[in-house]
Every structure is written in C-alpha cells, then in structure tokens.
Amino acid sequence: MPGVEGGSPVPASPAPGITTPRTPLVVFVEGAATGSGLRLLAYAEATGANPVFLTTDAGKYQGAPGHEVLDVLARHGRLILCASLDEPVVPPALASSGLLPEVVGVICAADRFLLTGAAIAQAAGTDLFDVHAAQVIRDKRRMRELLDRLGIRNIAWADADSARAAHDFAERVAGPVVLKNVRGSGSQQVLYASTPAEASAAYDALAQEDRYLAGELMLEEFVNGPLVSLEGFVLDGRFASLGVTDREFGALPFFVEVGWTFPAPQPEGVGRQMEETVQRVVDALGIRGGPLHVEFMLSADGPVLVDFNARLPGGLITPMLQEVYEGRYYELVLASSTGNPVRLPSGPCRHGAIRKVFPSSSGTLTGLTGLDLAAATPGVREVTGVASTGTAVAPPRDYRGSLFHLWGVGDSAAHARQTLLDAAATVTVEIS
C-alpha cells in the first residue's frame, strides 16, 4: 500500500528548470472509528482540500462513517501508515514522502495525537500551535499550573502519588474530590470520592490499572454544577465561539456522558466569562488557529475551566454541528486549521441533540431491536447500533460500552432532546 512506514515512495522531482506549483495539503492525524468517523476527512477530499491521512492502522476504520475515502487517498499517495503517532516528532513515513513542504494545516482527532500534530505543524513552517502548547494541553496538571500563573479562577488540585496523599487532600478540601489520569479523555479513569476514605480507595483502584498513555494520577476538588463545553475556533490568534454544548451524566462515582444538546442557553454574562478565559489561555500558549473544545464547570462562583482541548469535539458533536450550521462547520474547521480567513455564521439554523444508550445491567446482549423504528422518528438524523448480540455488556465506567447512539435536530434544545428520548424508547434491549 502506498505510504507504508519506511517504504513510502518519494515523488519524482521535476525536470531541471521547471517549477512545479505546490498543492497545499492538510494533514489529518487519525480519526474516529465510531461516532463522527471520517466524515470531515471525506468532506476535505470532496471539496479539494487535499487531505493527507496519518494512521497506525487503516483497517480499524472499516465501517466508520466516511471510511470509503481511504481508498481514494491510498490511490493518490495520501494515506500514510505510521509506526507511532504519540511522540513530538514528524513520523518518518511522512518525512520521506516528500509531502511535508506542502502542508499548511494539521487536524488532530484526539488529544493523544497533539504532540505529533504540533511537531508536523512546526516542521511545515505553520505557526498555528507548537509542541510546548501541546505538552501543556496534554497534561491536566500543567494546565492547572498555567491557570494559576495567569490568575484565572481555578480549583484546588494536587499530585496523587499514594493513597495517603489522596486521603490527606480530601481532608484538606473538606469535601468531595475527583481522582483522574492526567492524560485521560472521554471520562477514562476518572473517579468521584465523597470522603477521605473513598479517596484512598479510589487511588488504590486506579493505581492498579494499566493507565491510558501511562498517565500519572492527580486530584481535584469536586465542583458541583453543570458541565458544558465551549465550541469554537482560533482565527489569527483570536477565539471565536460558536456556542455551548451541555451534558447529561450517568450515576457517580463515574462521569459517563449520556446526552448533549447544542446550543445550550447560559445565564447572562457566563458565556462572555468563558470566552475571555479561553482567549487568555490561547494567548499564553501562542495558539494561532484551529478548532477548540473547552469544558467548563458552572460553579456557584462562576465558570471553572475543566479541560482545554485543541481539537474537534468528540463523539457525534461534529456531525451534529455540521447539520445545525447548514453544512458550514467542516468549512470552518478547515479554514481555521490552515490559517485561511473565513466568515463566521450568525448562528445555528436548528438545535441539535445526541444520546448514547448504555446497558443498565451486566450480562450477554441477546437482543437489540427497533433501531429502524427509532431512525424513522421525525427529527432523528442517525441511529447507530454499537454492540452486537452475543457480546458481554456491563454498565459503563467511561465513554465506551454503549449499546447504540443517536442524534437529531429540533426547534429548541428541549425539543431535540425529547425527540431522542422518544426515539430511544422504541428500541428493545434484551440482556440475559
């Protein structure tokens, strides 16, 4: 296959004296095997953005929305297989492909790929973001340190290197705490503890796990309030907000997200406070372009930054935004990621909602019927079965393990959410 690590052909050089115009390229570092899939990648190819796709395994995208584009990219030498995409270096296969000088933008599917994405952006001569910014974003402790230095509203936090440290921190804040992997995402390895004893037990549990990206553990005081995310872009160093996505969670001690709506109305002034906070972080990190997905907890004292992500929102939020912005969201992603000027829309034409349905008990999934009926519900845009009959299922601990998910639109956030609740109720789940 063209572009295999260590064996990718270098394009032939033009004849002496002949200047060949360069074609601007956009590098995509991985995608999503479910949810949003490769839809943005397919859009980029269809609209002439000339995407280059880097992945460690193209086979994992079989069946993902938009996966057909990989065959097209392979035929044009723009599908590049890499041994690793976790380190702050340009992958050798990309470096030897001859494509790097044409790269004008980089889009990362997840936080874990930001170091590689930043290294590519720097090597290509773009100034959208650099490795230092990626290192801060990828480590939740470094982001907390940055907020402290900037004087931005922050919460109590500490390293967690022992059960005793977890116990003492919970005693010090005199309230519930959250123990988490500093490199986690999608609520992976995040636990709530209401007492010092529970904090010690949570540490013992997570310390024994094989942690995502070998991340260390940290503690934060628990902030009681709604969690929302600000969706937007950095355009020439300035943050431009599209709106706020809210969330519905499952039961503690985990933080499993089960429902989202966009745009979610906010109390007067809160949106402006969040935007000002994001701009200060953008300035401090020197980010010049690209999409942002920044999570805030709306505490009684005001919004508190929880996670700062220089990437697309995960799950089905990106195709939902593409729908509610009448097909312009992907255009905005590409423009902001390449430093091109773009005119922001005045607002969404519809409201959107997403819902993930998880098993309520452990066992074997023996039946999942009615997905076609749910898909036929007016306002529903997509219903996707995730779990297969005959597989073991269990109540979730993080974003993984859903039975099916669906998204749709409505005339209001409440209307869109209710549409999905009604549609999900038509699906019959049988667990033995």
Coordinates of all heavy atoms in Angstrom, one line a residue, residues 258-355:
V258 N -24.0 10.9 28.8 CA -25.1 10.1 28.1 C -25.9 11.0 27.2 O -26.6 10.5 26.3 CB -26.0 9.4 29.1 CG1 -25.2 8.4 29.9 CG2 -26.7 10.4 30.0
G259 N -25.9 12.3 27.4 CA -26.7 13.2 26.5 C -26.1 14.6 26.3 O -25.4 15.1 27.3
W260 N -26.3 15.2 25.2 CA -25.8 16.5 24.9 C -26.9 17.3 24.1 O -27.6 16.7 23.3 CB -24.6 16.4 24.0 CG -23.4 15.7 24.5 CD1 -22.2 16.1 25.0 CD2 -23.2 14.2 24.5 NE1 -21.4 15.1 25.3 CE2 -21.9 13.9 25.0 CE3 -24.0 13.1 24.1 CZ2 -21.5 12.6 25.2 CZ3 -23.6 11.8 24.3 CH2 -22.3 11.6 24.8
T261 N -26.9 18.6 24.3 CA -27.7 19.5 23.4 C -26.9 20.7 23.0 O -26.0 21.1 23.8 CB -29.0 19.9 24.0 OG1 -28.7 20.8 25.2 CG2 -29.9 18.7 24.4
F262 N -27.2 21.3 21.9 CA -26.5 22.5 21.4 C -27.4 23.3 20.5 O -28.2 22.7 19.7 CB -25.2 22.1 20.5 CG -24.5 23.2 19.9 CD1 -23.5 23.9 20.6 CD2 -24.9 23.8 18.7 CE1 -22.9 25.0 20.0 CE2 -24.3 24.9 18.1 CZ -23.3 25.5 18.8
P263 N -27.4 24.6 20.6 CA -26.7 25.4 21.6 C -27.5 25.5 22.9 O -28.7 25.6 22.9 CB -26.6 26.8 20.9 CG -27.8 26.8 20.1 CD -28.1 25.5 19.6
A264 N -26.8 25.4 24.0 CA -27.5 25.4 25.3 C -27.4 26.8 25.9 O -26.4 27.5 25.9 CB -26.8 24.5 26.3
P265 N -28.6 27.4 26.3 CA -28.6 28.8 26.8 C -27.8 28.8 28.1 O -27.8 27.9 28.9 CB -30.1 29.0 27.0 CG -30.7 27.7 27.1 CD -29.9 26.8 26.3
Q266 N -27.2 30.0 28.4 CA -26.4 30.2 29.6 C -26.9 31.4 30.3 O -27.4 32.3 29.7 CB -24.9 30.3 29.2 CG -24.3 29.1 28.5 CD -24.5 27.9 29.3 OE1 -24.1 27.8 30.4 NE2 -25.1 26.8 28.6
P267 N -26.7 31.5 31.6 CA -27.0 32.7 32.3 C -26.3 33.9 31.8 O -25.2 33.8 31.2 CB -26.5 32.4 33.8 CG -26.5 30.9 33.8 CD -26.1 30.4 32.5
E268 N -26.8 35.1 31.9 CA -26.3 36.3 31.4 C -24.9 36.5 31.9 O -24.6 36.4 33.1 CB -27.1 37.5 31.8 CG -26.7 38.8 31.2 CD -27.6 39.9 31.5 OE1 -28.6 39.7 32.2 OE2 -27.3 41.1 31.2
G269 N -23.9 36.7 30.9 CA -22.6 37.0 31.3 C -21.7 35.8 31.4 O -20.4 36.0 31.3
V270 N -22.2 34.6 31.5 CA -21.4 33.4 31.7 C -20.6 33.1 30.4 O -19.4 32.8 30.4 CB -22.2 32.2 32.2 CG1 -21.4 30.9 32.1 CG2 -22.7 32.4 33.6
G271 N -21.3 33.2 29.3 CA -20.7 32.9 28.0 C -19.5 33.8 27.8 O -18.4 33.4 27.4
R272 N -19.7 35.1 28.1 CA -18.6 36.1 27.9 C -17.4 35.7 28.9 O -16.2 35.8 28.4 CB -19.1 37.5 28.2 CG -18.0 38.6 28.1 CD -18.5 39.9 28.5 NE -19.3 39.9 29.7 CZ -18.7 39.9 30.9 NH1 -17.4 39.9 31.1 NH2 -19.4 40.0 32.0
Q273 N -17.7 35.3 30.1 CA -16.6 35.0 31.0 C -15.8 33.8 30.5 O -14.6 33.7 30.6 CB -17.2 34.6 32.4 CG -17.8 35.8 33.2 CD -18.4 35.3 34.5 OE1 -17.7 34.7 35.3 NE2 -19.6 35.6 34.7
M274 N -16.5 32.8 29.9 CA -15.8 31.6 29.4 C -15.0 32.0 28.2 O -13.8 31.5 28.1 CB -16.8 30.5 29.0 CG -17.5 29.9 30.2 SD -18.5 28.4 29.8 CE -19.9 29.2 28.9
E275 N -15.5 32.8 27.3 CA -14.7 33.3 26.1 C -13.5 34.0 26.5 O -12.4 33.9 25.9 CB -15.6 34.1 25.2 CG -16.8 33.3 24.6 CD -17.7 34.2 23.8 OE1 -17.3 35.3 23.4 OE2 -18.9 33.8 23.6
E276 N -13.6 34.9 27.5 CA -12.4 35.7 28.0 C -11.4 34.7 28.6 O -10.2 34.9 28.4 CB -12.9 36.7 29.0 CG -13.7 37.8 28.4 CD -14.2 38.8 29.5 OE1 -14.1 38.5 30.7 OE2 -14.8 39.9 29.1
T277 N -11.8 33.7 29.3 CA -10.8 32.7 29.9 C -10.1 32.0 28.7 O -8.9 31.8 28.8 CB -11.6 31.7 30.8 OG1 -12.1 32.4 31.9 CG2 -10.6 30.6 31.3
V278 N -10.9 31.6 27.8 CA -10.3 30.8 26.6 C -9.3 31.7 25.9 O -8.2 31.3 25.6 CB -11.4 30.3 25.7 CG1 -10.7 29.8 24.4 CG2 -12.2 29.3 26.3
Q279 N -9.6 33.0 25.7 CA -8.7 33.9 25.0 C -7.4 34.0 25.8 O -6.3 34.1 25.2 CB -9.3 35.2 24.8 CG -8.5 36.2 23.9 CD -8.2 35.6 22.5 OE1 -9.2 35.3 21.8 NE2 -7.0 35.5 22.1
R280 N -7.4 34.1 27.1 CA -6.2 34.3 27.9 C -5.3 33.1 27.8 O -4.1 33.2 27.7 CB -6.6 34.6 29.3 CG -7.2 35.9 29.5 CD -7.6 36.2 31.0 NE -6.4 36.3 31.8 CZ -6.5 36.4 33.1 NH1 -7.6 36.4 33.8 NH2 -5.3 36.5 33.9
V281 N -5.9 31.9 27.7 CA -5.2 30.6 27.6 C -4.6 30.6 26.2 O -3.4 30.2 26.0 CB -6.0 29.4 27.9 CG1 -5.2 28.1 27.6 CG2 -6.5 29.4 29.3
V282 N -5.4 30.9 25.2 CA -4.9 30.9 23.8 C -3.7 31.9 23.6 O -2.7 31.5 23.0 CB -6.0 31.4 22.8 CG1 -5.5 31.8 21.5 CG2 -7.1 30.3 22.7
D283 N -3.8 33.0 24.2 CA -2.6 34.0 24.2 C -1.4 33.4 24.9 O -0.3 33.5 24.4 CB -3.0 35.3 24.8 CG -4.1 36.1 24.1 OD1 -4.3 35.8 22.9 OD2 -4.7 37.0 24.7
A284 N -1.6 32.8 26.0 CA -0.5 32.3 26.8 C 0.2 31.1 26.0 O 1.4 31.0 26.1 CB -0.9 31.8 28.2
L285 N -0.6 30.3 25.3 CA 0.0 29.2 24.6 C 0.4 29.5 23.2 O 1.0 28.7 22.5 CB -1.0 28.0 24.6 CG -1.4 27.4 25.9 CD1 -2.4 26.3 25.8 CD2 -0.1 26.8 26.6
G286 N 0.1 30.7 22.7 CA 0.5 31.1 21.4 C -0.2 30.4 20.3 O 0.3 30.2 19.2
I287 N -1.4 30.0 20.5 CA -2.2 29.3 19.5 C -2.7 30.3 18.5 O -3.3 31.3 18.9 CB -3.4 28.5 20.1 CG1 -2.9 27.5 21.1 CG2 -4.2 27.8 19.1 CD1 -3.9 26.8 21.9
R288 N -2.5 30.0 17.2 CA -2.9 30.9 16.2 C -4.1 30.5 15.4 O -4.8 31.3 14.7 CB -1.7 31.2 15.2 CG -0.5 31.7 15.8 CD -0.7 33.1 16.3 NE -1.1 34.0 15.3 CZ -1.6 35.3 15.4 NH1 -1.7 35.7 16.7 NH2 -1.9 36.0 14.4
G289 N -4.4 29.2 15.4 CA -5.5 28.7 14.6 C -5.9 27.3 15.0 O -5.2 26.6 15.7
G290 N -7.1 26.9 14.5 CA -7.6 25.5 14.7 C -8.8 25.5 15.6 O -9.2 26.5 16.3
P291 N -9.5 24.4 15.6 CA -10.7 24.2 16.5 C -10.4 24.1 17.9 O -9.3 23.6 18.3 CB -11.4 22.9 15.9 CG -10.2 22.1 15.4 CD -9.2 23.1 14.9
L292 N -11.3 24.5 18.8 CA -11.1 24.4 20.2 C -12.4 23.7 20.8 O -13.5 24.0 20.3 CB -10.9 25.7 21.0 CG -9.6 26.4 20.7 CD1 -9.5 27.6 21.6 CD2 -8.4 25.5 21.0
H293 N -12.2 22.9 21.8 CA -13.4 22.3 22.6 C -13.0 22.4 24.0 O -12.2 21.6 24.5 CB -13.5 20.8 22.1 CG -14.5 20.0 22.9 ND1 -15.8 20.2 22.9 CD2 -14.2 19.0 23.8 CE1 -16.4 19.3 23.7 NE2 -15.4 18.6 24.3
V294 N -13.5 23.4 24.7 CA -13.1 23.7 26.1 C -14.2 23.5 27.1 O -15.3 24.1 26.9 CB -12.6 25.2 26.2 CG1 -12.0 25.5 27.5 CG2 -11.6 25.5 25.1
E295 N -14.0 22.7 28.1 CA -15.0 22.3 29.0 C -14.9 23.2 30.3 O -13.8 23.4 30.8 CB -14.9 20.8 29.4 CG -15.1 19.9 28.2 CD -15.0 18.4 28.6 OE1 -14.7 18.1 29.8 OE2 -15.3 17.6 27.7
F296 N -16.1 23.6 30.8 CA -16.2 24.4 32.0 C -17.2 23.8 32.9 O -18.3 23.3 32.5 CB -16.7 25.8 31.7 CG -15.6 26.7 31.0 CD1 -15.5 26.7 29.7 CD2 -14.8 27.5 31.8 CE1 -14.5 27.5 29.1 CE2 -13.9 28.3 31.2 CZ -13.7 28.3 29.8
M297 N -17.0 23.8 34.2 CA -18.0 23.5 35.2 C -18.5 24.9 35.7 O -17.8 25.8 36.0 CB -17.4 22.8 36.4 CG -18.4 22.2 37.3 SD -19.3 20.8 36.6 CE -18.1 19.5 36.8
L298 N -19.9 25.0 35.7 CA -20.5 26.2 36.1 C -20.8 26.2 37.6 O -21.8 25.7 38.0 CB -21.8 26.4 35.3 CG -21.6 26.4 33.7 CD1 -23.0 26.7 33.1 CD2 -20.6 27.4 33.3
S299 N -19.8 26.6 38.3 CA -19.9 26.6 39.8 C -20.7 27.8 40.2 O -21.1 28.7 39.5 CB -18.5 26.7 40.4 OG -18.0 28.0 40.3
A300 N -21.0 27.9 41.5 CA -21.8 29.0 42.1 C -21.0 30.3 42.0 O -21.6 31.4 42.0 CB -22.1 28.6 43.6
D301 N -19.7 30.2 41.9 CA -18.8 31.4 41.9 C -18.5 31.8 40.5 O -17.8 32.8 40.3 CB -17.5 31.1 42.7 CG -17.8 30.9 44.1 OD1 -18.7 31.5 44.7 OD2 -17.1 30.0 44.7
G302 N -18.9 31.0 39.5 CA -18.6 31.3 38.1 C -18.0 30.1 37.4 O -17.8 29.1 38.0
P303 N -17.8 30.2 36.1 CA -17.3 29.1 35.3 C -15.8 28.8 35.7 O -15.0 29.6 35.9 CB -17.4 29.5 33.9 CG -17.4 31.0 33.9 CD -18.1 31.4 35.2
V304 N -15.5 27.4 35.8 CA -14.2 27.0 36.1 C -13.8 26.1 35.0 O -14.5 25.1 34.6 CB -14.2 26.1 37.4 CG1 -12.8 25.6 37.7 CG2 -14.6 27.0 38.6
L305 N -12.6 26.4 34.4 CA -12.1 25.6 33.3 C -11.7 24.2 33.8 O -11.0 24.0 34.7 CB -10.9 26.3 32.6 CG -10.5 25.8 31.3 CD1 -9.8 26.9 30.5 CD2 -9.5 24.6 31.4
V306 N -12.3 23.2 33.1 CA -12.0 21.8 33.4 C -11.0 21.2 32.5 O -10.1 20.5 32.9 CB -13.3 21.0 33.5 CG1 -13.1 19.5 33.7 CG2 -14.3 21.5 34.5
D307 N -11.3 21.3 31.2 CA -10.4 20.7 30.2 C -10.3 21.7 29.0 O -11.3 22.2 28.5 CB -10.9 19.4 29.7 CG -10.3 18.2 30.4 OD1 -9.1 18.2 30.8 OD2 -11.1 17.2 30.6
F308 N -9.1 21.8 28.5 CA -8.8 22.7 27.3 C -8.3 21.8 26.2 O -7.2 21.2 26.3 CB -7.8 23.8 27.7 CG -7.5 24.8 26.6 CD1 -8.2 26.0 26.6 CD2 -6.7 24.5 25.6 CE1 -7.9 26.9 25.6 CE2 -6.4 25.4 24.6 CZ -7.0 26.6 24.6
N309 N -9.1 21.7 25.1 CA -8.7 20.7 24.1 C -8.6 21.5 22.7 O -9.5 22.1 22.3 CB -9.8 19.7 23.9 CG -10.1 18.9 25.2 OD1 -9.2 18.2 25.7 ND2 -11.3 19.1 25.8
A310 N -7.4 21.4 22.2 CA -7.1 22.0 20.8 C -7.4 21.0 19.8 O -6.5 20.5 19.0 CB -5.7 22.5 20.8
R311 N -8.7 20.6 19.7 CA -9.1 19.6 18.7 C -10.6 19.7 18.5 O -11.3 20.6 19.1 CB -8.8 18.2 19.3 CG -9.5 17.9 20.6 CD -9.5 16.4 20.9 NE -9.9 16.2 22.3 CZ -11.2 16.1 22.7 NH1 -12.2 16.4 21.8 NH2 -11.5 15.8 23.9
L312 N -11.1 18.9 17.6 CA -12.6 18.8 17.4 C -13.2 18.2 18.6 O -12.7 17.4 19.4 CB -12.9 17.9 16.2 CG -12.3 18.3 14.9 CD1 -12.5 17.2 13.8 CD2 -13.0 19.6 14.4
P313 N -14.5 18.6 18.9 CA -15.3 17.9 19.9 C -15.4 16.4 19.5 O -15.5 16.1 18.3 CB -16.6 18.6 19.9 CG -16.7 19.3 18.6 CD -15.3 19.6 18.2
G314 N -15.5 15.5 20.5 CA -15.6 14.1 20.2 C -17.0 13.6 20.0 O -17.9 14.4 19.9
G315 N -17.1 12.3 19.8 CA -18.3 11.6 19.6 C -19.1 12.2 18.3 O -18.5 12.3 17.3
L316 N -20.3 12.4 18.5 CA -21.2 12.9 17.4 C -21.4 14.4 17.3 O -22.2 14.9 16.6 CB -22.5 12.1 17.5 CG -22.5 10.6 17.2 CD1 -23.7 10.0 17.7 CD2 -22.3 10.4 15.7
I317 N -20.6 15.1 18.2 CA -20.9 16.6 18.2 C -20.5 17.2 16.9 O -21.2 18.1 16.4 CB -20.1 17.2 19.3 CG1 -20.6 16.7 20.7 CG2 -20.2 18.7 19.3 CD1 -19.8 17.2 21.9
T318 N -19.4 16.7 16.2 CA -19.0 17.3 15.0 C -20.0 17.2 13.8 O -20.4 18.2 13.2 CB -17.6 16.9 14.5 OG1 -17.6 15.4 14.4 CG2 -16.6 17.3 15.5
P319 N -20.6 16.0 13.6 CA -21.6 15.9 12.6 C -22.9 16.6 12.9 O -23.6 17.2 12.1 CB -21.9 14.4 12.4 CG -21.4 13.8 13.6 CD -20.2 14.6 14.0
M320 N -23.2 16.7 14.3 CA -24.4 17.5 14.7 C -24.2 19.0 14.4 O -25.1 19.6 13.9 CB -24.6 17.3 16.2 CG -25.8 18.1 16.7 SD -25.9 18.1 18.5 CE -24.4 19.1 19.0
L321 N -23.0 19.5 14.7 CA -22.7 20.9 14.4 C -22.7 21.2 12.9 O -23.1 22.2 12.4 CB -21.3 21.3 14.9 CG -21.2 21.3 16.5 CD1 -19.8 21.6 16.9 CD2 -22.2 22.4 17.1
Q322 N -22.3 20.2 12.1 CA -22.3 20.4 10.6 C -23.8 20.5 10.2 O -24.1 21.3 9.3 CB -21.7 19.2 9.9 CG -21.8 19.1 8.4 CD -20.9 20.1 7.7 OE1 -20.3 21.0 8.4 NE2 -20.8 20.0 6.4
E323 N -24.7 19.8 10.8 CA -26.1 19.8 10.5 C -26.7 21.2 10.9 O -27.4 21.8 10.1 CB -26.8 18.7 11.1 CG -28.3 18.8 11.1 CD -29.0 18.2 9.8 OE1 -28.2 17.6 9.0 OE2 -30.2 18.4 9.6
V324 N -26.5 21.5 12.2 CA -27.2 22.7 12.7 C -26.6 24.0 12.1 O -27.3 25.0 12.1 CB -27.2 22.8 14.2 CG1 -27.8 21.5 14.8 CG2 -25.8 23.0 14.8
Y325 N -25.4 24.0 11.6 CA -24.9 25.1 10.9 C -25.0 25.0 9.4 O -24.2 25.6 8.6 CB -23.4 25.4 11.3 CG -23.4 26.2 12.6 CD1 -23.2 25.6 13.8 CD2 -23.5 27.6 12.6 CE1 -23.1 26.3 15.0 CE2 -23.5 28.3 13.7 CZ -23.3 27.7 14.9 OH -23.3 28.4 16.1
E326 N -25.9 24.2 8.9 CA -26.3 24.1 7.5 C -25.1 23.8 6.6 O -24.8 24.4 5.6 CB -26.9 25.4 7.0 CG -28.2 25.7 7.7 CD -28.9 27.0 7.1 OE1 -28.4 28.1 7.2 OE2 -30.0 26.8 6.4
G327 N -24.3 22.8 7.1 CA -23.1 22.4 6.3 C -21.9 23.2 6.3 O -21.0 23.0 5.5
R328 N -21.8 24.2 7.2 CA -20.7 25.1 7.2 C -19.6 24.8 8.3 O -18.5 25.3 8.3 CB -21.1 26.5 7.5 CG -21.9 27.1 6.3 CD -21.7 28.6 6.2 NE -20.3 29.0 6.1 CZ -19.8 30.2 6.6 NH1 -20.5 31.0 7.2 NH2 -18.5 30.4 6.5
Y329 N -19.9 23.9 9.2 CA -19.0 23.6 10.3 C -17.7 23.1 9.8 O -16.6 23.5 10.2 CB -19.6 22.7 11.4 CG -18.7 22.4 12.5 CD1 -18.4 23.3 13.5 CD2 -18.0 21.1 12.6 CE1 -17.5 23.1 14.5 CE2 -17.2 20.9 13.7 CZ -16.9 21.8 14.6 OH -16.1 21.6 15.7
Y330 N -17.7 22.1 8.9 CA -16.5 21.5 8.4 C -15.7 22.5 7.6 O -14.4 22.5 7.7 CB -16.8 20.3 7.5 CG -17.4 19.1 8.1 CD1 -18.1 18.1 7.4 CD2 -17.4 19.0 9.5 CE1 -18.6 17.0 8.0 CE2 -18.0 17.9 10.1 CZ -18.6 16.9 9.4 OH -19.1 15.8 10.0
E331 N -16.3 23.4 6.9 CA -15.6 24.5 6.2 C -14.9 25.4 7.2 O -13.7 25.8 7.0 CB -16.7 25.4 5.5 CG -16.1 26.7 4.9 CD -17.2 27.6 4.5 OE1 -18.4 27.3 4.4 OE2 -16.8 28.8 4.2
L332 N -15.5 25.7 8.4 CA -14.8 26.5 9.4 C -13.6 25.7 10.0 O -12.6 26.3 10.3 CB -15.8 26.8 10.5 CG -17.0 27.7 10.1 CD1 -18.0 27.7 11.2 CD2 -16.6 29.1 9.7
V333 N -13.8 24.4 10.2 CA -12.7 23.6 10.7 C -11.5 23.7 9.8 O -10.3 24.0 10.3 CB -13.1 22.2 10.9 CG1 -11.9 21.3 11.3 CG2 -14.2 22.0 12.0
L334 N -11.7 23.5 8.5 CA -10.6 23.5 7.6 C -9.9 24.9 7.5 O -8.7 25.1 7.4 CB -11.1 23.1 6.2 CG -11.5 21.6 6.1 CD1 -12.1 21.3 4.7 CD2 -10.2 20.7 6.3
A335 N -10.8 26.0 7.4 CA -10.2 27.3 7.3 C -9.4 27.7 8.6 O -8.3 28.2 8.4 CB -11.4 28.3 7.2
S336 N -9.9 27.4 9.8 CA -9.2 27.7 11.0 C -7.9 26.9 11.1 O -6.9 27.4 11.7 CB -10.1 27.6 12.2 OG -10.3 26.2 12.4
S337 N -7.9 25.7 10.6 CA -6.7 24.8 10.7 C -5.6 25.1 9.7 O -4.5 24.6 9.8 CB -7.2 23.4 10.6 OG -8.1 23.0 11.6
T338 N -5.9 26.0 8.7 CA -5.0 26.3 7.7 C -4.6 27.8 7.7 O -3.9 28.3 6.8 CB -5.5 25.9 6.3 OG1 -6.8 26.5 6.1 CG2 -5.6 24.4 6.2
G339 N -5.2 28.5 8.6 CA -5.0 30.0 8.7 C -5.6 30.8 7.6 O -5.3 32.0 7.4
N340 N -6.7 30.2 7.0 CA -7.4 31.0 6.0 C -8.5 31.8 6.6 O -9.1 31.4 7.5 CB -8.0 30.0 4.9 CG -6.9 29.4 4.0 OD1 -5.9 30.1 3.7 ND2 -7.0 28.2 3.7
P341 N -8.8 33.0 6.0 CA -9.9 33.8 6.5 C -11.2 33.1 6.2 O -11.4 32.4 5.3 CB -9.8 35.1 5.7 CG -9.1 34.7 4.5 CD -8.1 33.6 4.8
V342 N -12.2 33.4 7.1 CA -13.5 32.8 7.0 C -14.5 33.7 7.6 O -14.2 34.3 8.7 CB -13.5 31.3 7.6 CG1 -13.3 31.4 9.1 CG2 -14.8 30.6 7.2
R343 N -15.7 33.7 7.1 CA -16.8 34.5 7.7 C -17.6 33.6 8.6 O -18.2 32.6 8.1 CB -17.7 35.1 6.7 CG -18.8 36.0 7.2 CD -19.5 36.7 6.1 NE -20.1 35.7 5.2 CZ -21.3 35.1 5.4 NH1 -22.0 35.3 6.5 NH2 -21.7 34.2 4.5
L344 N -17.7 33.9 9.9 CA -18.5 33.1 10.8 C -20.0 33.2 10.6 O -20.4 34.3 10.3 CB -18.1 33.4 12.3 CG -16.7 33.0 12.8 CD1 -16.5 33.6 14.1 CD2 -16.6 31.6 12.8
P345 N -20.7 32.2 10.7 CA -22.2 32.3 10.6 C -22.7 33.1 11.8 O -22.2 33.1 12.9 CB -22.6 30.8 10.6 CG -21.6 30.1 11.3 CD -20.3 30.8 11.0
S346 N -23.9 33.7 11.6 CA -24.5 34.5 12.6 C -25.1 33.6 13.7 O -25.3 34.1 14.9 CB -25.6 35.3 12.0 OG -26.6 34.5 11.4
G347 N -25.4 32.3 13.4 CA -25.9 31.4 14.5 C -26.4 30.2 13.8 O -26.5 30.1 12.6
P348 N -26.7 29.2 14.6 CA -27.2 27.9 14.1 C -28.6 28.0 13.5 O -29.4 28.9 14.0 CB -27.2 26.9 15.3 CG -27.3 27.8 16.4 CD -26.6 29.1 16.1
C349 N -29.0 27.2 12.5 CA -30.3 27.3 12.0 C -31.3 26.3 12.8 O -32.5 26.5 12.7 CB -30.3 26.8 10.5 SG -29.7 25.2 10.2
R350 N -30.7 25.4 13.5 CA -31.5 24.5 14.3 C -30.8 24.2 15.6 O -29.7 24.7 15.8 CB -31.7 23.1 13.6 CG -32.4 23.2 12.2 CD -33.8 23.5 12.2 NE -34.6 22.6 13.0 CZ -35.1 21.5 12.5 NH1 -34.9 21.1 11.3 NH2 -35.9 20.7 13.2
H351 N -31.5 23.4 16.5 CA -30.9 22.9 17.7 C -30.6 21.4 17.5 O -31.3 20.8 16.8 CB -31.7 23.1 18.9 CG -31.9 24.6 19.3 ND1 -32.6 25.5 18.6 CD2 -31.3 25.2 20.4 CE1 -32.5 26.7 19.2 NE2 -31.8 26.5 20.3
G352 N -29.5 21.0 18.1 CA -29.2 19.6 18.0 C -29.1 18.8 19.3 O -28.9 19.5 20.4
A353 N -29.2 17.5 19.3 CA -29.1 16.7 20.5 C -28.4 15.4 20.1 O -28.5 14.9 19.0 CB -30.4 16.5 21.1
I354 N -27.8 14.8 21.1 CA -27.1 13.5 21.0 C -27.5 12.7 22.2 O -27.6 13.2 23.3 CB -25.6 13.6 20.9 CG1 -25.2 14.6 19.7 CG2 -24.9 12.3 20.7 CD1 -23.8 15.0 19.8
R355 N -27.6 11.4 22.0 CA -27.9 10.5 23.1 C -27.1 9.2 22.9 O -27.1 8.6 21.8 CB -29.4 10.2 23.3 CG -29.7 9.6 24.7 CD -31.1 10.0 25.2 NE -31.2 9.8 26.6 CZ -30.9 10.6 27.5 NH1 -30.4 11.8 27.2 NH2 -31.0 10.4 28.8

